[in-house]
Amino acid sequence: MKKPAPLQLTVENSTQVTPNMQRILLKGDELANFPDGCEGSYIKLLFNKEGGVDLSKLPQGERPIMRTYTIRRFSAAKCTIEVDFVRHLSDDLTSGFATRWAISAKVGEAVNIAGPGSIKEINIEADWFLMVADMTALPALSAKIRQLPTEAKGYAVIQVTEKVDVQQIDVPENIQVIWITNQESLATKVKALIWLSGTVSIWTACEFDAMRELRSYFQNDKQVDREHIYISSYWKNGVTEDGHKVLKQQDAQQSQ
Ligand SMILES: Cc1cc2nc3c(=O)[nH]c(=O)nc-3n(C[C@H](O)[C@H](O)[C@H](O)COP(=O)(O)OP(=O)(O)OC[C@H]3O[C@@H](n4cnc5c(N)ncnc54)[C@H](O)[C@@H]3O)c2cc1C
């Protein structure tokens, strides 16, 4: 997504679905133009330098600060998208703009977004599937897993902040869903799984360091073909999204 063309949406509803997840329903006529298959794609929420959503005083040519979130559900008929925000908060008021906004957003409030941008599709030419997500990627996993064939088998390993953050998600019958909390390492849990026979298709999105550990495991230890892997970091511990973006670019160059 190179040049974001902002579009203004309104908060239709906001619910704390679990203690560490805020679900916001956003509405806007222009959402009718979003493509049908955009569940699991991402949008950028746009902020000014102070973390506010008013972009009217943004100097000409200056880009807003952007934060990336997943379209969990989309309704073209109702012109709405549903977005889930992990409620992570530190005392540092110079960051965490998106989380701070989501926690305090009121019905009727406006926010600017750009998008949607799509992510790589799951390769369904496989004997089994392994889907791995932390809480930031739970919205994307819950959308992408609906695209698997009904007879799909394998695992979905999902890390949430606390046990009470476990959600009901729709998964094919033969996909075993394994929930863990932040008390356990996502990579360790995945490495302990019994590796099934045949060709695997992998979908993984999580924190940067966990992503690197898992990528090495899939590519080097398990020799999974790149065409059967979608793996992405959605955030980096201790770094804002702007810093994470730089690290991600460096990592992509090094891992080619
Ligand atoms: C394609 C894509 C889709 C994404 N979809 C979602 C989504 O649907 N829901 C969602 O919640 N996130 C999603 N993310 C992750 C989200 O963009 C980041 O978590 C982002 O940093 C949040 O912005 P912020 O303004 O709250 O915090 P920032 O200002 O970016 O960061 C402030 C501090 O918070 C820390 N931090 C950031 N995220 C977390 C976290 N989850 N837990 C603990 N500390 C954190 C940072 O390391 C930093 O120290 C997605 C990312 C990508 C790339």
Side-chain angles (χ1 to χ4, degrees):
M1 205 192 300
K2 281 201 176 112
K3 252 195 179 170
L7 101 99
Q8 200 171 72
L9 303 180
T10 308
V11 176
E12 187 78 353
N13 193 20
S14 178
T15 332
Q16 194 170 350
V17 277
T18 65
N20 296 292
M21 193 72 106
Q22 192 75 24
R23 179 164 299 161
I24 299 195
L25 188 69
L26 294 166
K27 190 175 171 73
D29 290 347
E30 283 151 297
L31 290 176
N33 302 325
F34 271 29
D36 265 349
C38 71
E39 290 181 349
S41 294
Y42 62 89
I43 53 162
K44 304 273 181 183
L45 278 97
L46 311 181
F47 298 93
N48 62 34
K49 279 206 168 116
E50 288 74 43
V53 290
D54 179 8
L55 302 181
S56 63
K57 295 188 186 70
L58 204 71
Q60 190 94 49
E62 192 174 304
R63 285 169 73 98
I65 290 170
M66 296 194 263
R67 294 291 184 260
T68 312
Y69 282 83
T70 300
I71 300 170
R72 183 179 181 278
R73 287 278 184 185
F74 167 60
S75 165
K78 293 182 184 156
C79 294
T80 56
I81 53 173
E82 188 176 86
V83 183
D84 275 8
F85 295 77
V86 177
R87 294 170 61 108
H88 69 90
L89 262 198
S90 69
D91 296 334
D92 176 8
L93 291 176
T94 62
S95 67
F97 291 169
T99 306
R100 230 175 281 286
W101 175 80
I103 288 172
S104 61
K106 299 277 178 295
V107 172
E109 204 176 310
V111 67
N112 293 287
I113 68 145
S118 55
I119 60 172
K120 187 175 159 184
E121 292 300 330
I122 303 176
N123 187 339
I124 55 166
E125 300 298 317
D127 298 306
W128 65 284
F129 296 87
L130 173 54
M131 301 192 71
V132 183
D134 69 8
M135 216 163 148
T136 63
L138 171 54
L141 182 147
S142 67
K144 292 288 175 187
I145 209 163
R146 292 195 293 267
Q147 296 170 4
L148 294 185
T150 42
E151 69 280 9
K153 64 173 183 182
Y155 308 101
V157 186
I158 306 166
Q159 185 187 46
V160 288
T161 311
E162 301 172 73
K163 260 193 182 153
V164 280
D165 291 309
V166 170
Q167 295 180 8
Q168 171 64 39
I169 57 168
D170 299 333
V171 302
E173 208 178 312
N174 294 321
I175 297 281
Q176 185 189 349
V177 184
I178 300 160
W179 295 92
I180 61 166
T181 70
N182 281 357
Q183 300 300 310
E184 280 185 88
S185 148
L186 194 56
T188 305
K189 195 75 187 180
V190 171
K191 289 181 191 178
L193 294 173
I194 295 172
W195 200 257
L196 305 183
S197 58
T199 304
V200 64
S201 183
I202 291 170
W203 188 97
T204 297
C206 55
E207 196 274 333
F208 184 80
D209 295 329
M211 179 281 290
R212 297 225 310 184
E213 191 176 345
L214 283 167
R215 186 179 60 198
S216 166
Y217 176 64
F218 298 145
Q219 290 180 347
N220 303 330
D221 299 24
K222 294 296 176 188
Q223 302 280 310
V224 181
D225 193 284
R226 279 177 190 232
E227 285 192 1
H228 282 89
I229 303 180
Y230 163 80
I231 186 157
S232 180
S233 63
Y234 274 18
W235 65 288
K236 163 119 177 85
N237 209 355
V239 180
T240 66
E241 179 162 337
D242 314 272
H244 173 227
K245 203 173 157 194
V246 176
L247 291 170
K248 229 174 142 165
Q249 280 160 356
Q250 290 167 354
D251 176 71
Q253 280 162 5
Q254 284 161 10
S255 68
Q256 263 166 25

